[in-house]
Coordinates of all heavy atoms in Angstrom, one line a residue:
S170 N 264.8 -10.8 -88.6 CA 264.7 -9.8 -89.6 C 265.3 -10.1 -90.9 O 264.8 -9.9 -91.9 CB 265.4 -8.4 -89.1 OG 264.7 -7.9 -88.0
A171 N 266.5 -10.8 -90.8 CA 267.2 -11.2 -92.1 C 266.3 -12.2 -92.9 O 266.2 -12.1 -94.1 CB 268.5 -11.9 -91.7
A172 N 265.6 -13.2 -92.2 CA 264.8 -14.1 -92.9 C 263.6 -13.4 -93.5 O 263.1 -13.7 -94.6 CB 264.3 -15.2 -91.9
I173 N 263.0 -12.5 -92.7 CA 261.9 -11.6 -93.3 C 262.3 -10.9 -94.5 O 261.5 -10.8 -95.6 CB 261.3 -10.7 -92.3 CG1 260.8 -11.5 -91.1 CG2 260.3 -9.7 -92.8 CD1 260.3 -10.7 -89.8
A174 N 263.5 -10.3 -94.5 CA 263.9 -9.4 -95.6 C 264.1 -10.4 -96.9 O 263.6 -10.0 -98.0 CB 265.3 -8.9 -95.3
E175 N 264.6 -11.6 -96.6 CA 264.9 -12.5 -97.8 C 263.5 -13.0 -98.4 O 263.3 -13.1 -99.6 CB 265.7 -13.7 -97.3 CG 266.0 -14.7 -98.3 CD 266.9 -15.8 -97.8 OE1 267.4 -15.7 -96.7 OE2 267.2 -16.8 -98.7
E176 N 262.6 -13.3 -97.4 CA 261.3 -13.8 -97.9 C 260.5 -12.8 -98.7 O 259.8 -13.1 -99.7 CB 260.4 -14.3 -96.8 CG 259.2 -14.9 -97.1 CD 258.5 -15.7 -96.0 OE1 259.1 -16.2 -95.2 OE2 257.2 -15.8 -96.0
L177 N 260.5 -11.5 -98.2 CA 259.7 -10.4 -98.8 C 260.5 -9.7 -99.9 O 259.9 -8.7 -100.5 CB 259.3 -9.4 -97.8 CG 258.4 -10.1 -96.7 CD1 257.9 -9.0 -95.7 CD2 257.1 -10.7 -97.3
F178 N 261.7 -10.1 -100.2 CA 262.5 -9.4 -101.2 C 262.8 -7.9 -100.9 O 262.6 -7.1 -101.8 CB 262.0 -9.6 -102.6 CG 261.8 -11.1 -103.0 CD1 260.6 -11.7 -102.9 CD2 263.0 -11.8 -103.3 CE1 260.4 -13.0 -103.2 CE2 262.8 -13.1 -103.7 CZ 261.5 -13.8 -103.6
I179 N 263.1 -7.6 -99.6 CA 263.4 -6.2 -99.3 C 264.6 -6.2 -98.5 O 265.1 -7.3 -98.1 CB 262.2 -5.6 -98.4 CG1 261.9 -6.5 -97.1 CG2 260.9 -5.5 -99.2 CD1 260.8 -5.9 -96.3
S180 N 265.2 -5.1 -98.2 CA 266.4 -4.9 -97.4 C 266.2 -5.1 -95.9 O 265.1 -4.8 -95.4 CB 267.1 -3.7 -97.7 OG 266.4 -2.6 -97.0
P181 N 267.2 -5.6 -95.2 CA 267.1 -5.7 -93.7 C 266.8 -4.4 -93.0 O 266.1 -4.3 -92.1 CB 268.4 -6.3 -93.3 CG 268.9 -7.0 -94.5 CD 268.5 -6.2 -95.7
L182 N 267.3 -3.3 -93.7 CA 267.1 -2.0 -93.1 C 265.6 -1.6 -93.3 O 265.0 -1.1 -92.4 CB 267.9 -0.9 -94.0 CG 267.7 0.5 -93.4 CD1 268.1 0.7 -92.0 CD2 268.6 1.5 -94.2
T183 N 264.9 -2.0 -94.4 CA 263.6 -1.8 -94.6 C 262.8 -2.6 -93.5 O 261.8 -2.0 -92.9 CB 263.0 -2.2 -95.9 OG1 263.8 -1.4 -97.0 CG2 261.6 -1.9 -96.2
V184 N 263.1 -3.8 -93.2 CA 262.4 -4.5 -92.2 C 262.6 -3.8 -90.9 O 261.6 -3.7 -90.0 CB 263.0 -5.9 -92.1 CG1 262.4 -6.7 -90.9 CG2 262.8 -6.7 -93.4
K185 N 263.8 -3.4 -90.5 CA 264.1 -2.7 -89.3 C 263.2 -1.4 -89.1 O 262.7 -1.1 -88.1 CB 265.6 -2.3 -89.2 CG 265.9 -1.6 -87.9 CD 267.4 -1.3 -87.7 CE 267.7 -0.6 -86.5 NZ 269.2 -0.3 -86.4
T186 N 263.0 -0.7 -90.2 CA 262.2 0.5 -90.2 C 260.7 0.2 -89.9 O 260.1 0.9 -89.2 CB 262.2 1.2 -91.7 OG1 263.6 1.6 -91.8 CG2 261.4 2.5 -91.6
H187 N 260.3 -0.9 -90.5 CA 258.8 -1.4 -90.4 C 258.6 -1.8 -88.9 O 257.6 -1.6 -88.3 CB 258.5 -2.5 -91.4 CG 258.1 -2.0 -92.7 ND1 257.2 -1.1 -93.0 CD2 258.7 -2.3 -93.9 CE1 257.1 -0.9 -94.2 NE2 258.1 -1.6 -94.9
R188 N 259.7 -2.5 -88.3 CA 259.6 -2.9 -87.0 C 259.4 -1.8 -86.1 O 258.5 -1.8 -85.2 CB 260.8 -3.8 -86.6 CG 260.8 -5.2 -87.0 CD 262.3 -5.8 -86.9 NE 262.7 -5.8 -85.5 CZ 263.0 -6.8 -84.8 NH1 263.0 -8.0 -85.3 NH2 263.5 -6.6 -83.5
S189 N 260.2 -0.7 -86.3 CA 260.2 0.5 -85.4 C 258.8 1.1 -85.6 O 258.3 1.7 -84.6 CB 261.3 1.4 -85.9 OG 262.6 0.9 -85.7
T190 N 258.3 1.2 -86.8 CA 257.0 1.7 -87.0 C 255.9 1.0 -86.3 O 255.0 1.5 -85.6 CB 256.6 1.9 -88.5 OG1 257.7 2.6 -89.1 CG2 255.3 2.5 -88.8
L191 N 256.0 -0.4 -86.4 CA 255.0 -1.2 -85.7 C 255.0 -0.9 -84.1 O 254.0 -0.9 -83.5 CB 255.2 -2.6 -86.0 CG 254.9 -3.1 -87.4 CD1 255.5 -4.5 -87.7 CD2 253.3 -3.2 -87.5
L192 N 256.3 -0.9 -83.6 CA 256.4 -0.7 -82.1 C 255.8 0.7 -81.8 O 255.0 0.8 -80.7 CB 257.8 -0.6 -81.7 CG 258.6 -2.0 -81.8 CD1 260.0 -1.8 -81.6 CD2 258.0 -3.0 -80.8
A193 N 255.9 1.7 -82.5 CA 255.3 3.0 -82.3 C 253.8 3.0 -82.4 O 253.1 3.6 -81.5 CB 256.0 4.0 -83.3
K194 N 253.4 2.3 -83.5 CA 251.9 2.3 -83.7 C 251.2 1.6 -82.5 O 250.1 1.9 -82.1 CB 251.5 1.7 -85.0 CG 251.8 2.5 -86.2 CD 251.3 1.9 -87.4 CE 251.3 2.8 -88.6 NZ 250.8 2.3 -89.9
F195 N 251.8 0.5 -82.0 CA 251.2 -0.3 -80.9 C 251.6 0.3 -79.5 O 251.2 -0.1 -78.4 CB 251.6 -1.7 -80.9 CG 250.8 -2.4 -82.0 CD1 251.3 -2.6 -83.3 CD2 249.6 -3.1 -81.7 CE1 250.5 -3.3 -84.3 CE2 248.8 -3.7 -82.7 CZ 249.3 -3.9 -84.0
Q196 N 252.4 1.3 -79.4 CA 252.9 1.9 -78.3 C 253.5 1.0 -77.2 O 253.2 0.9 -76.1 CB 251.7 2.7 -77.6 CG 251.1 3.8 -78.5 CD 250.0 4.5 -77.8 OE1 249.9 4.7 -76.5 NE2 248.9 4.8 -78.6
V197 N 254.5 0.2 -77.8 CA 255.1 -0.8 -77.0 C 256.7 -0.6 -77.3 O 257.0 0.0 -78.3 CB 254.7 -2.3 -77.3 CG1 253.3 -2.5 -76.8 CG2 254.9 -2.6 -78.8
N198 N 257.5 -1.3 -76.5 CA 259.0 -1.1 -76.7 C 259.7 -2.4 -77.0 O 260.9 -2.4 -77.0 CB 259.6 -0.3 -75.5 CG 259.2 -1.0 -74.3 OD1 259.0 -2.3 -74.2 ND2 259.4 -0.3 -73.1
N199 N 259.0 -3.5 -77.2 CA 259.8 -4.7 -77.6 C 258.8 -5.7 -78.4 O 257.7 -5.5 -78.4 CB 260.3 -5.4 -76.4 CG 259.2 -5.8 -75.4 OD1 258.3 -6.7 -75.6 ND2 259.1 -5.1 -74.2
I200 N 259.4 -6.6 -79.0 CA 258.6 -7.5 -80.0 C 257.6 -8.4 -79.2 O 256.5 -8.6 -79.7 CB 259.7 -8.3 -80.8 CG1 260.5 -7.4 -81.8 CG2 258.8 -9.3 -81.8 CD1 259.7 -6.5 -82.7
V201 N 258.0 -8.9 -78.1 CA 257.1 -9.7 -77.3 C 255.8 -8.9 -77.0 O 254.7 -9.4 -77.2 CB 257.8 -10.2 -76.0 CG1 256.7 -11.0 -75.2 CG2 259.0 -11.1 -76.3
S202 N 256.0 -7.7 -76.5 CA 254.8 -6.9 -76.2 C 254.0 -6.6 -77.5 O 252.8 -6.6 -77.5 CB 255.2 -5.5 -75.6 OG 255.9 -5.8 -74.4
L203 N 254.7 -6.3 -78.7 CA 254.1 -6.1 -79.9 C 253.1 -7.2 -80.3 O 252.0 -7.0 -80.6 CB 255.1 -5.8 -81.0 CG 254.6 -5.8 -82.4 CD1 253.7 -4.5 -82.6 CD2 255.7 -5.8 -83.4

Side-chain angles (χ1 to χ4, degrees):
S170 292
I173 293 174
E175 183 176 352
E176 181 167 336
L177 298 181
F178 302 102
I179 57 179
S180 71
L182 179 59
T183 300
V184 176
K185 183 178 180 181
T186 299
H187 282 303
R188 282 169 55 121
S189 297
T190 301
L191 286 166
L192 292 173
K194 284 188 174 183
F195 282 93
Q196 301 180 36
V197 294
N198 55 20
N199 58 72
I200 297 301
V201 175
S202 299
L203 170 66

